[in-house]
Amino acid sequence: GGAHSQHAGRAIHARQRSPAQQTGFLFGRFLICQVGLLVLARESAKPAGRDVLQSIGLPKMAALEEGFTLSAVPLGVGPHGLLGVEQSDKADQFLVTDGGRTVILYKVSDQKPLGSWSVKQGQIITCPAVCNFQTGEYIVVHDNKVLRIWSNEDVNLDKVFKATLSAEIYRIHSIQGTEPLVLFKEGAVRGLEALLAEPQQKIETVISDEEVIKWTKIFMVFKHPVLIFITEKHGNYFAYIQKFNSHTLSKYMLLLGQEENSVIQSFTASVDRKFISLMSLSSDGCIYETLVPIHPSDPEKDQRVVRSLLLKTVVSGDTRNGVALTVLDQDHVAVLGPPLPSSKECISIWNTKFQTLQTSKELPQGTSGQLWYYGENLFVLHGKFLTVIPYKCEVSSLAGALGKLKHSQDPGTQTAPHFVNWETSRGYRLGSQNSEQSKRILRRRKTEVSVQNPASKELLSAIKKDSEKHIEVELCKFLAIKPTPDFNTIIGDIVSELLGRHKAEPSFYPRNSLMQLIQTHVLSHSLCPGLMEAALEKADVQMLQLCLQQFPDIPESVTCACLKIFLSISDGSLQEAEINMESVSDYSDSVQEEKMEEQTEVLHNGFNAEEENCDNCDRELNKKPQDAAEETTSCPVIPKRAALLNAILHSAYSEMFLLPHLKDIPAQHVTLFLQYLYFLYLKCSENATMTLPGLHPPTLNQIMDWICLLLDANFTVVVMIPEAKRLLLSLYKFVKSQICICSELNKIEVSFRELQKLNQEKNNRELYSIEVLELF
Amino acid sequence: MGEFKVHRVRFFNYIPSGIRCVAYNNQSNRLAVSRTDGTVEIYNLSANYFQEKFFPGHESRATEALCWAKGQRLFSAGLNGEIIEYDLQALNIKYAVDAFGGPIWSMAVSPHGSQLLVGCEDGSVKLFQITPDKIQFERNFDRQKSRILSLSWHPSGTHVAAGSIDYISVFDVKSGSAVHKMLVDRQYMGVSKRKCIIWGVAFLSDGTVISVDSAGKVQFWDSATGTLVKNHLIANADVQSIAVSDQEDSFVVGTAEGTVFHFQLVSVTSNSSEKQWVRTKPFQHHTHDVRTVAHSPTALISGGTDTHLVIRPLMEKVEVKNYDAALRKITFPHRRLISCSKKRQLLLFQFTHHLELWRLGSTVATGKNGDTLPLSRDADHLLHLKTKGPENIICSCISPCGSWIAYSTTSRFFLYRLNYEQDNISLQRVSKMPAFLRSALQILFSEDSTKLFVASNQGSLHVIRLLEGSFKHLHTFQPQSGTVESMCLLAVSPDGNWLASSGTSAGVHVYNIKHLKLHCTVPSYNFPVTALAIAPNTNNLVIAHSDQQVFEYSIPDKQYTEWSRTIQKQGFHYLWLQRDTPITHISFHPKRPMHILLHDAYMFCIIDKSLPLPNDKTLLYNPLPPTNESDVIRRRTAHAFKISKIYKPLLFMDLLDERTLVAVERPLDDIIAQLPPPIKKKKFGT
């Protein structure tokens, strides 16, 4: 899907252009892009593309702020860096356990230590200090088996409570809402209280010989603690899930998939209701995800879980140490390590959903390959100092991304007018309205209007009950009256009244009256939004054509709906419709006075395609030369349909809004429309001025823009249709020749500039001369 | 009328420096312009855009910011980290204060004119108090991460917007702390650029901050919330400068592509009160980067690397069609950079840091109008004299006999003696210049090369007698009591008796050299003097002003001559008055006392006082030679102004002898050819 979303991006990008550029060249630019994609599209035939885009909600913007060091005291001088950073019972305070003998309590916002405790010389801390959230005391383990429990007031660790256990401890987990849990190196878990009650109790062995705990974490799931630990034995990894509400232990074997040889360097996990999502950073530099069920289907049996690739190559593959990862939230992970083999270590934030690197920060002094994340802070050992990097992930707003429109509405004034008076913007002038009056038009005051115009009142009441014929007569009467300044609002009211009745009784469709009203030239789509809707419903192409010609503000979705009807309606029903044919001239009499000598020559704009090496398509095209000739002369649609399509071509639109709707058009209709557009283009290029005959024909720009739009929207579909292949190939060939012309022109431009320079030098006489001057 | 051999010289390889900053002063309608060589020029927009003052540059003093304060005080700041105040009377630097923040990139004066803010390389924003005679450091604002490239005060003076790299900060002036930090998108046409430099910011009174940046964007920010309100992508290259009108209803930005865009606040619909900023007009008067723009009430002013100062009047603001309605493109300085030794046919060219001496060639051939004659000897480059030290040359002069060369920088005066032995020349510096001869604004030798006149920047005029290899101080004319205005222009009569001098605004003073006293003062005129000369024999002083008026004043009679009165009564031809470059040199024909020769950058004119004056109905400029029409018509249409526009841009023109002229041209193409290449725009294809 990634490649697809990229297509969309590129296609849209290619449509941004300066108006100064010539259409032909522009078209060329666009098609290069599309043709390039042909290959890509074939490679990944999975028709995704759009759902990736649709799944994008409001993107979050992750950001790393300026970091700061916690203290000037060097930490982690031992070979294993820090033992750990743990939360204390106060939000801003953290317990930092050094690899040697010291535990320090830091207040992060003040960047200073609040307390520091050390074990005696000869003793060594083996497990990071944690805070017992229920009592506010701190717990640390030294020499693997000795527990020390103390509080803030204690000064000397030697004198605080001590308990010596019978087995070696791997970690103590402490988390809000439960008592601390002790994980022994043999895999057994005990609550702290139970242990303290009987310190010398026997601790059972859970994991097998030579199996070593690699990593562990605790979660609260439904108010109960769930502990996970990962063990390794001979390159195999196992996950154990210990639940405390049911006292069950489940074991899973992690299947590494194809990356059998890789060594897992760092783990992190997050939890939702049913699964623990275990992420691992492997020695190949990729992040894999494993979903481990919390509630196993069959707890007795050994189960297997498979890991899948989540992010590719986030750190350089062959790094020995200094890599770590931690989950930040649902979509973000932080990765510590060098992004390239030669580069310095970095901390980077990746978005796992979009597979993108969000931000990154270099840590030039190196790290210990350890990373902790609590609240809004990331902790890393940068050089010899513990550094805190605040991390923020704010939901970015649309306003932030696109800019915000300011609504400077005075509280006193009325709300924005219901509809726009298109007269003022189009330069129409009705009667002798002055600015005061036109201001009034903008405010719609129905009551006033009806009071002022008895004729319209009469008409409105007629609409409510009378027959279509009678309404027509009333309407004629009304229209015969000299238009008043608020004429357009009254017309709007009449139309909405008519449509209201149509809605209530579907058989009532006052077509003639509506046509007459549209032809007053004062209506706009915003003035009567239901009108085109009704016409679309009735497939009334004549009315739609009229609306397309008259309304300046048709939404793209409606334009597209019209296009769909125009393309799908049968020839038979078209023959019956009365359609304005002024934009279509008889294309069959193609012999024109200014017709250029040779059509293919014109097609290539003077460039000889035979020299070019797009032989493949040439050959294919040349197979049926008669067909090609046929194609250029016969119009693929009947004249009435052509007139309707021309109305679409003439209508105003914004690409951004039109493109999504164009995607919904069925493939054969897209092909038909493309064939028609291509036919128009060929007709255009038949004469020197590049225009079509007729009273109000589509312009070359309009034709080109629509070809681009259609291909943009439906390229992946069109590419698959065999009937469209020849069309695409001829477009491709045309574009290729255009590119050649452009590059030739660029070459010529350089030569011309040189010539100009030479010419100037000639004109510029020497630096010094003596001349004769006579003044008269 | 006359036939001349013209030495057409194009080897003066002069390149004006690029324009770095412009600052418009609404109160005095003056424009300060700083160039990349450190020179600061003052243009008087009321006096037909005349460049009335200039402060010579200095190699280490790259000016990055320029602004006016308290009406008439001019400050600049630059990459040497100093803030400089200029003395606009004495035309020198009043003082320089180091801001101690590394190179200074931006500077802004508070709306009330009492405080000065500078943005430095180290990310600091420093506030200075402007005291009556100096500036005083007050405090620092919160230090930012990277250099502050642009600054703008809120019109109320309570907040300041500062553009840096990748973000804009809004400071509260009272506390000096950053209230908002607005991050600017680095994206450029979908490609992430390395950095986004905020080249300019403007703070409007409604709290909107407008920024222009290196990604080609003009962005509108709401400073109250710190959010982006609107974004205009206007260029494929950097947008480098912005200036807002005082009414805040229009602003102008300049891009690295040489385009200047005008934005205006216009109503959304014809009669609604809701207004929005709309890009209205693009102007392409530059080929290179527009480094700076200014917005006067009636015009958009822009300047940049291509060295042109462009003043584009806003036609809707101009009421009458006069000077102000025409587009101005000022390229060359309004002063002479060339002097000439008539006797030895030498030309002395003044550059920023060196002088060049050239000998003109000769020919023995003759020809008719328009012919190019074969040279019997080509022009020679005799001497290349480099200055010592980092200061730019202010002025230079070669004596009429060709034996002396004098030039001056801001702190030193140099005098050289030249000896000619056949083809060899030797140069000898005259040492031990007196202490008072430190800095000269103008240097002039007498016609017989025995006296040297030096206008110093304190308003005094020194007269020095030159002897073989040494000199003697004769006298110093002190400025009139109470004035310290510097004299910028000098003229000496060919007989050596009279010396005329003029400053930037007061009238022209005439001194008697024999008696060493002030002879008279020509009544002062509203417009500055652009050129002065005293005619031989009659001792008539001819004065050209920036409004294109020319006066003739008889020194012996102490009054305007009859011809001058006549032409004032009748008025100059309208086309003469509409010329847009000032007359920079006046000379006379030794044998034809009725002729005055003068030139500006685009024409050369001989005024024949014996002929009738043209009126507005006659053709002023008639380049075509008379055909076979009868003599009657010719005589009837002949008038006093004989104009030639063959040589342009004309930097210097003088009469070498009765039948020989020298014209120094500087074709614009030659200048453009030596500028760095502009941003290339592809004409075809993608």
Side-chain angles (χ1 to χ4, degrees):
Chain A
H4 278 274
S5 60
Q6 225 171 13
H7 294 182
R10 278 176 63 187
I12 290 165
H13 175 59
R15 309 269 310 137
Q16 297 173 345
R17 67 196 129 95
S18 71
Q21 278 173 311
Q22 291 177 34
T23 319
F25 300 145
L26 143 92
F27 179 43
R29 183 172 70 167
F30 151 70
L31 237 89
I32 295 176
C33 183
Q34 287 292 14
V35 173
L37 297 182
L38 216 149
V39 185
L40 281 169
R42 275 183 189 151
E43 275 173 2
S44 56
K46 198 171 76 183
R50 243 184 302 155
D51 40 18
V52 171
L53 285 173
Q54 278 163 1
S55 69
I56 301 174
L58 283 177
K60 283 186 174 179
M61 288 310 293
L64 287 174
E65 290 179 13
E66 199 67 20
F68 50 88
T69 24
L70 268 190
S71 74
V73 184
L75 290 168
V77 278
H80 307 297
L82 287 178
L83 272 183
V85 178
E86 294 283 339
Q87 281 176 297
S88 84
D89 54 340
K90 295 191 185 66
D92 198 23
Q93 297 177 9
F94 293 89
L95 282 167
V96 177
T97 312
D98 197 4
R101 294 164 40 219
T102 324
V103 177
I104 306 170
L105 179 68
Y106 280 108
K107 188 168 163 68
V108 166
S109 57
D110 290 356
Q111 302 180 31
K112 67 175 188 193
L114 297 177
S116 166
W117 298 271
S118 294
V119 293
K120 238 182 3 188
Q121 190 82 36
Q123 295 174 337
I124 184 156
I125 296 178
T126 51
C127 160
V130 294
C131 177
N132 184 342
F133 290 101
Q134 291 176 331
T135 62
E137 291 169 322
Y138 307 123
I139 311 157
V140 75
V141 179
H142 65 82
D143 301 306
N144 292 320
K145 285 181 176 178
V146 186
L147 273 183
R148 291 281 188 180
I149 300 178
W150 80 100
S151 68
N152 253 331
E153 291 77 47
D154 293 312
V155 180
N156 196 341
L157 273 191
D158 216 26
K159 292 185 179 145
V160 301
F161 176 85
K162 173 182 173 183
T164 307
L165 308 181
S166 64
E168 295 193 343
I169 297 169
Y170 180 77
R171 269 296 287 279
I172 302 174
H173 283 295
S174 179
I175 193 167
Q176 287 279 9
T178 178
E179 62 165 331
L181 296 170
V182 179
L183 172 65
F184 290 90
K185 285 194 178 164
E186 304 297 320
V189 184
R190 290 283 190 282
L192 186 68
E193 294 304 319
L195 261 183
L196 292 180
E198 197 188 337
Q200 285 297 317
Q201 64 180 274
K202 180 143 176 47
I203 306 296
E204 75 279 11
T205 299
V206 174
I207 59 176
S208 59
D209 270 1
E210 294 177 52
E211 202 173 335
V212 185
I213 299 182
K214 285 295 198 187
W215 175 85
T216 174
K217 188 160 181 176
I218 191 167
F219 300 102
M220 290 299 278
V221 180
F222 297 118
K223 294 189 180 167
H224 293 286
V226 172
L227 194 141
I228 177 171
F229 62 92
I230 308 289
T231 63
E232 190 239 12
K233 184 182 180 181
H234 306 314
N236 295 320
Y237 291 89
F238 303 94
Y240 293 83
I241 307 280
Q242 172 89 56
K243 285 196 291 176
F244 289 87
N245 54 340
S246 57
H247 294 284
T248 51
L249 178 74
S250 354
K251 181 181 177 183
Y252 299 91
M253 183 171 176
L254 293 188
L255 294 182
L256 298 186
Q258 292 156 350
E259 298 78 20
E260 295 285 359
N261 308 327
S262 63
V263 180
I264 300 180
Q265 291 178 310
S266 179
F267 290 97
T268 185
S270 59
V271 70
D272 66 7
R273 282 154 182 267
K274 288 195 177 135
F275 291 99
I276 291 174
S277 156
L278 178 72
M279 287 180 204
S280 49
L281 180 59
S282 277
S283 54
D284 58 355
C286 304
I287 297 177
Y288 297 87
E289 187 183 33
T290 313
L291 292 179
V292 185
I294 297 171
H295 312 290
S297 45
D298 184 5
E300 302 305 311
K301 236 175 82 185
D302 274 10
Q303 295 168 75
R304 290 158 182 249
V305 281
V306 185
R307 62 176 198 167
S308 56
L309 184 63
L310 186 66
L311 277 174
K312 231 177 175 174
T313 333
V314 290
V315 292
S316 160
D318 48 353
T319 325
R320 301 234 165 266
N321 51 3
V323 295
L325 100 152
T326 185
V327 168
L328 300 173
D329 57 40
Q330 210 179 328
D331 301 328
H332 293 90
V333 291
V335 179
L336 188 69
L340 293 169
S342 52
S343 62
K344 290 202 169 122
E345 288 178 50
C346 272
I347 181 160
S348 10
I349 308 293
W350 288 78
N351 186 319
T352 53
K353 195 170 184 179
F354 301 127
Q355 313 258 317
T356 50
L357 177 65
Q358 295 266 306
T359 177
S360 150
K361 192 180 188 75
E362 202 171 81
L363 300 167
Q365 290 165 38
T367 70
S368 60
Q370 290 166 296
L371 183 62
W372 295 272
Y373 173 66
Y374 295 108
E376 288 185 331
N377 294 318
L378 282 159
F379 296 81
V380 286
L381 198 63
H382 183 204
K384 288 275 168 244
F385 301 104
L386 184 63
T387 302
V388 180
I389 304 170
Y391 159 79
K392 267 195 188 137
C393 184
E394 288 165 345
V395 175
S396 64
S397 65
L398 199 59
L402 293 174
K404 185 189 74 163
L405 271 179
K406 209 171 177 179
H407 290 287
S408 54
Q409 190 98 50
D410 292 333
T413 57
Q414 277 184 301
T415 48
H418 186 193
F419 43 74
V420 184
N421 180 7
W422 290 97
E423 256 56 53
T424 47
S425 56
R426 274 208 272 171
Y428 279 61
R429 289 251 123 195
L430 276 175
S432 58
Q433 65 189 48
N434 54 28
S435 62
E436 194 59 40
Q437 275 172 319
S438 61
K439 217 180 260 172
R440 232 176 45 218
I441 296 173
L442 289 173
R443 307 227 164 81
R444 189 182 184 188
R445 294 197 188 115
K446 224 174 186 173
T447 47
E448 241 179 68
V449 166
S450 13
V451 168
Q452 279 173 354
N453 297 281
S456 68
K457 200 178 172 188
E458 211 167 288
L459 180 57
L460 285 173
S461 67
I463 288 168
K464 288 206 176 79
K465 47 188 192 295
D466 290 345
S467 69
E468 289 183 28
K469 264 272 168 301
H470 185 240
I471 293 170
E472 263 171 61
V473 175
E474 282 296 317
L475 185 66
C476 280
K477 271 195 229 161
F478 169 74
L479 290 178
I481 303 167
K482 193 173 167 258
T484 50
D486 46 6
F487 182 64
N488 66 331
T489 67
I490 298 166
I491 295 286
D493 285 339
I494 293 168
V495 174
S496 37
E497 202 68 37
L498 285 170
L499 292 171
R501 187 167 164 200
H502 164 67
K503 216 162 210 175
E505 44 182 301
S507 61
F508 174 81
Y509 186 61
R511 193 160 177 276
N512 291 338
S513 304
L514 287 172
M515 298 282 265
Q516 213 169 350
L517 284 164
I518 296 168
Q519 274 157 338
T520 55
H521 300 290
V522 299
L523 277 179
S524 58
H525 184 266
S526 49
L527 206 55
C528 50
L531 178 57
M532 288 188 81
E533 209 176 285
L536 281 168
E537 220 170 86
K538 293 259 170 195
D540 187 346
V541 289
Q542 189 191 349
M543 176 107 76
L544 288 175
Q545 187 196 24
L546 201 58
C547 290
L548 281 169
Q549 286 164 351
Q550 297 290 346
F551 293 178
D553 59 341
I554 300 172
E556 282 77 358
S557 56
V558 177
T559 310
C560 208
C562 293
L563 176 61
K564 271 190 221 166
I565 287 192
F566 293 170
L567 286 168
S568 59
I569 194 165
S570 69
D571 282 359
S573 42
L574 269 183
Q575 292 302 351
E576 290 159 21
E578 266 178 63
I579 288 164
N580 180 352
M581 302 290 287
E582 67 174 11
S583 67
V584 185
S585 68
D586 193 1
Y587 293 131
S588 56
D589 60 343
S590 54
V591 190
Q592 273 159 26
E593 283 151 47
E594 334 108 287
K595 190 176 170 181
M596 311 240 290
E597 327 95 68
E598 184 63 88
Q599 275 184 6
T600 46
E601 286 287 313
V602 180
L603 217 173
H604 299 145
N605 217 352
F607 182 78
N608 190 353
E610 273 158 27
E611 288 171 15
E612 263 313 298
N613 44 2
C614 65
D615 299 328
N616 277 342
C617 46
D618 262 3
R619 242 178 278 136
E620 250 181 89
L621 275 182
N622 292 340
K623 266 183 207 162
K624 307 173 200 163
Q626 301 92 342
D627 273 17
E630 234 170 70
E631 198 178 59
T632 54
T633 46
S634 71
C635 181
V637 296
I638 61 165
K640 283 198 171 173
R641 197 188 300 278
L644 292 175
L645 292 176
N646 286 354
I648 295 277
L649 296 186
H650 282 303
S651 65
Y653 65 88
S654 165
E655 296 167 7
M656 282 280 275
F657 299 114
L658 190 60
L659 271 174
H661 299 294
L662 285 179
K663 290 185 177 161
D664 301 335
I665 301 177
Q668 73 268 29
H669 291 157
V670 170
T671 322
L672 179 67
F673 195 23
L674 271 177
Q675 274 166 351
Y676 174 61
L677 289 167
Y678 186 59
F679 163 79
L680 286 182
Y681 167 70
L682 290 179
K683 283 286 153 200
C684 267
S685 52
E686 270 172 13
N687 66 41
T689 53
M690 302 289 268
T691 51
L692 286 169
L695 194 59
H696 192 45
T699 65
L700 183 63
N701 279 355
Q702 285 168 342
I703 297 165
M704 286 298 170
D705 284 346
W706 271 93
I707 293 181
C708 293
L709 275 169
L710 274 181
L711 286 176
D712 266 347
N714 298 296
F715 188 71
T716 46
V717 178
V718 173
V719 142
M720 298 296 169
I721 304 173
E723 305 90 71
K725 198 172 180 187
R726 284 178 44 74
L727 180 66
L728 282 184
L729 280 173
S730 33
L731 282 172
Y732 170 74
K733 208 174 129 196
F734 161 71
V735 168
K736 189 137 189 172
S737 66
Q738 289 281 301
I739 296 163
C740 294
I741 292 164
C742 291
S743 71
E744 292 300 314
L745 282 172
N746 278 321
K747 278 184 217 159
I748 293 170
E749 192 201 356
V750 175
S751 327
F752 271 131
R753 204 175 305 135
E754 287 305 312
L755 270 178
Q756 199 181 8
K757 219 181 265 172
L758 280 176
N759 205 21
Q760 261 173 8
E761 272 163 27
K762 213 190 243 170
N763 273 346
N764 268 353
R765 265 158 290 179
E766 288 94 83
L767 292 175
Y768 178 63
S769 60
I770 300 177
E771 291 169 20
V772 179
L773 169 74
E774 195 180 350
L775 285 170
F776 305 101
Chain B
M1 177 70 203
E3 194 183 86
F4 298 97
K5 275 184 191 170
V6 183
H7 292 264
R8 194 167 184 177
V9 172
R10 293 157 178 254
F11 48 70
F12 179 32
N13 193 16
Y14 169 73
I15 309 285
S17 289
I19 291 173
R20 180 61 194 90
C21 317
V22 294
Y24 174 71
N25 184 337
N26 205 353
Q27 209 172 324
S28 61
N29 200 22
R30 278 177 170 79
L31 185 74
V33 175
S34 80
R35 294 186 180 265
T36 46
D37 65 352
T39 309
V40 173
E41 295 159 354
I42 312 284
Y43 291 85
N44 186 346
L45 302 195
S46 308
N48 197 12
Y49 306 91
F50 182 59
Q51 180 194 323
E52 55 177 17
K53 293 168 189 175
F54 82 102
F55 299 91
H58 190 281
E59 259 176 10
S60 72
R61 224 170 47 213
T63 311
E64 282 291 325
L66 193 66
C67 59
W68 295 91
K70 294 221 161 167
Q72 300 293 333
R73 291 175 68 177
L74 181 66
F75 294 91
S76 81
L79 297 186
N80 62 353
E82 286 178 344
I83 305 169
I84 292 166
E85 181 169 3
Y86 296 91
D87 187 330
L88 296 172
Q89 288 298 316
L91 300 190
N92 56 14
I93 286 168
K94 224 186 217 171
Y95 56 84
V97 174
D98 197 322
F100 295 107
I104 299 174
W105 291 95
S106 51
M107 179 166 63
V109 169
S110 69
H112 311 298
S114 57
Q115 286 166 319
L116 193 67
L117 211 56
V118 294
C120 306
E121 170 77 20
D122 66 355
S124 60
V125 177
K126 291 163 188 285
L127 185 69
F128 287 82
Q129 200 69 40
I130 303 176
T131 59
D133 50 358
K134 233 187 151 169
I135 55 170
Q136 178 87 45
F137 174 72
E138 199 164 285
R139 60 196 156 89
N140 274 323
F141 284 6
D142 282 1
R143 167 90 66 97
Q144 299 298 301
K145 256 193 291 185
S146 46
R147 62 179 68 147
I148 306 294
L149 287 143
S150 46
L151 284 170
S152 176
W153 287 78
H154 187 266
S156 70
T158 55
H159 287 81
V160 165
S164 182
I165 292 168
D166 285 335
Y167 66 91
I168 303 158
S169 306
V170 177
F171 289 100
D172 179 61
V173 173
K174 214 176 241 172
S175 66
S177 57
V179 188
H180 276 297
K181 188 167 157 183
M182 303 182 286
L183 283 174
V184 178
D185 194 3
R186 284 185 186 184
Q187 294 267 317
Y188 166 71
M189 304 276 286
V191 185
S192 191
K193 261 192 160 186
R194 252 167 53 82
K195 270 168 184 169
C196 182
I197 302 162
I198 316 298
W199 286 118
V201 285
F203 213 143
L204 306 186
S205 35
D206 66 354
T208 303
V209 173
I210 309 170
S211 71
V212 297
D213 61 40
S214 61
K217 301 191 290 287
V218 175
Q219 293 185 313
F220 296 78
W221 305 83
D222 185 339
S223 71
T225 56
T227 49
L228 182 65
V229 178
K230 208 168 182 191
N231 184 11
H232 286 266
L233 184 67
I234 60 163
N236 288 327
D238 298 35
V239 186
Q240 296 188 309
S241 44
I242 179 170
V244 184
S245 71
D246 287 344
Q247 285 79 36
E248 297 189 357
D249 59 353
S250 95
F251 72 89
V252 55
V253 298
T255 74
E257 292 168 324
T259 319
V260 168
F261 290 102
H262 189 205
F263 282 75
Q264 282 171 294
L265 194 61
V266 293
S267 301
V268 179
T269 54
S270 61
N271 41 30
S272 85
S273 62
E274 193 186 332
K275 293 189 166 187
Q276 89 184 54
W277 286 103
V278 175
R279 189 178 86 187
T280 49
K281 285 165 264 172
F283 301 111
Q284 183 87 45
H285 297 304
H286 295 276
T287 54
H288 290 68
D289 302 34
V290 179
R291 297 297 302 273
T292 178
V293 285
H295 198 309
S296 83
T298 56
L300 308 180
I301 301 159
S302 56
T305 312
D306 64 359
T307 78
H308 303 298
L309 176 66
V310 174
I311 298 164
R312 174 67 171 75
L314 297 169
M315 295 315 287
E316 67 267 23
K317 300 275 173 73
V318 178
E319 278 156 17
V320 277
K321 187 177 179 276
N322 59 0
Y323 287 133
D324 300 332
L327 170 79
R328 289 302 175 100
K329 206 166 188 172
I330 301 170
T331 310
F332 296 105
H334 291 163
R335 62 199 149 89
R336 261 164 53 198
L337 299 172
I338 298 154
S339 54
C340 156
S341 158
K342 292 182 182 176
K343 196 177 143 202
R344 288 190 179 268
Q345 307 227 319
L346 302 174
L347 287 178
L348 182 72
F349 297 144
Q350 176 189 323
F351 296 86
T352 317
H353 287 289
H354 72 273
L355 299 173
E356 277 181 17
L357 186 65
W358 288 75
R359 179 166 53 212
L360 295 173
S362 59
T363 182
V364 287
T366 52
K368 59 183 195 304
N369 185 28
D371 283 358
T372 303
L373 304 175
L375 298 178
S376 55
R377 184 167 55 94
D378 206 348
D380 278 338
H381 185 183
L382 300 180
L383 198 69
H384 182 102
L385 191 61
K386 229 183 126 22
T387 56
K388 296 179 180 71
E391 292 169 335
N392 293 4
I393 298 174
I394 302 175
C395 59
S396 63
C397 193
I398 185 167
S399 67
C401 69
S403 312
W404 299 91
I405 287 176
Y407 74 88
S408 173
T409 67
T410 314
S411 61
R412 291 174 81 182
F413 184 88
F414 298 87
L415 181 64
Y416 291 92
R417 172 86 182 162
L418 289 168
N419 289 308
Y420 300 85
E421 290 149 17
Q422 270 102 43
D423 276 350
N424 293 328
I425 26 168
S426 59
L427 185 74
Q428 191 188 357
R429 183 168 169 206
V430 181
S431 52
K432 295 187 197 114
M433 297 308 293
F436 61 82
L437 271 184
R438 277 197 308 119
S439 169
L441 290 175
Q442 186 69 275
I443 305 168
L444 189 67
F445 289 93
S446 66
E447 200 75 7
D448 58 1
S449 302
T450 58
K451 286 198 187 74
L452 172 67
F453 307 102
V454 178
S456 83
N457 61 3
Q458 294 305 316
S460 47
L461 269 176
H462 307 291
V463 183
I464 289 151
R465 173 181 289 282
L466 297 170
L467 307 162
E468 190 75 25
S470 69
F471 61 89
K472 189 181 161 218
H473 177 226
L474 284 182
H475 185 70
T476 295
F477 294 110
Q478 290 303 336
Q480 304 301 300
S481 56
T483 64
V484 281
E485 196 185 60
S486 299
M487 293 295 132
C488 304
L489 289 168
L490 294 177
V492 67
S493 66
D495 60 14
N497 288 340
W498 309 103
L499 176 70
S501 78
S502 106
T504 52
S505 61
V508 178
H509 304 293
V510 180
Y511 298 95
N512 188 326
I513 302 293
K514 258 188 194 152
H515 302 106
L516 296 174
K517 68 178 178 74
L518 181 70
H519 174 69
C520 63
T521 298
V522 181
S524 67
Y525 183 69
N526 289 339
F527 289 87
V529 179
T530 67
L532 273 183
I534 301 173
N537 307 323
T538 58
N539 283 330
N540 285 341
L541 174 65
V542 179
I543 310 167
H545 290 275
S546 70
D547 63 344
Q548 310 296 7
Q549 297 290 342
V550 178
F551 293 95
E552 191 187 42
Y553 183 84
S554 166
I555 293 173
D557 299 344
K558 294 189 185 180
Q559 63 175 359
Y560 288 111
T561 62
E562 197 53 46
W563 179 80
S564 187
R565 286 168 205 274
T566 314
I567 197 160
Q568 284 306 317
K569 216 174 284 167
Q570 190 182 325
F572 282 86
H573 194 275
Y574 73 101
L575 286 175
W576 176 269
L577 296 176
Q578 279 174 11
R579 289 176 306 116
D580 61 0
T581 50
I583 288 167
T584 49
H585 187 56
I586 303 170
S587 55
F588 303 95
H589 198 286
K591 292 284 160 62
R592 295 176 190 155
M594 295 308 279
H595 287 189
I596 304 170
L597 288 75
L598 24 77
H599 78 85
D600 64 14
Y602 295 101
M603 66 103 214
F604 151 65
C605 173
I606 298 179
I607 299 177
D608 187 342
K609 291 189 281 179
S610 59
L611 287 176
L613 294 168
N615 59 32
D616 283 359
K617 286 189 193 84
T618 46
L619 194 65
L620 181 71
Y621 168 55
N622 182 14
L624 298 169
T627 46
N628 293 334
E629 290 171 72
S630 67
D631 268 2
V632 186
I633 297 170
R634 224 179 117 182
R635 219 175 294 141
R636 210 180 57 206
T637 55
H639 59 74
F641 290 76
K642 308 293 172 194
I643 293 174
S644 158
K645 294 190 179 178
I646 296 174
Y647 316 108
K648 56 190 174 185
L650 187 58
L651 296 194
F652 180 74
M653 186 133 195
D654 205 353
L655 205 62
L656 290 175
D657 59 48
E658 294 164 36
R659 301 225 143 264
T660 316
L661 284 167
V662 58
V664 180
E665 282 176 289
R666 184 64 186 146
L668 283 175
D669 289 340
D670 294 2
I671 295 178
I672 292 163
Q674 294 192 42
L675 293 176
I679 290 176
K680 191 176 178 293
K681 286 186 216 161
K682 233 180 182 179
K683 282 191 183 136
F684 307 106
T686 51

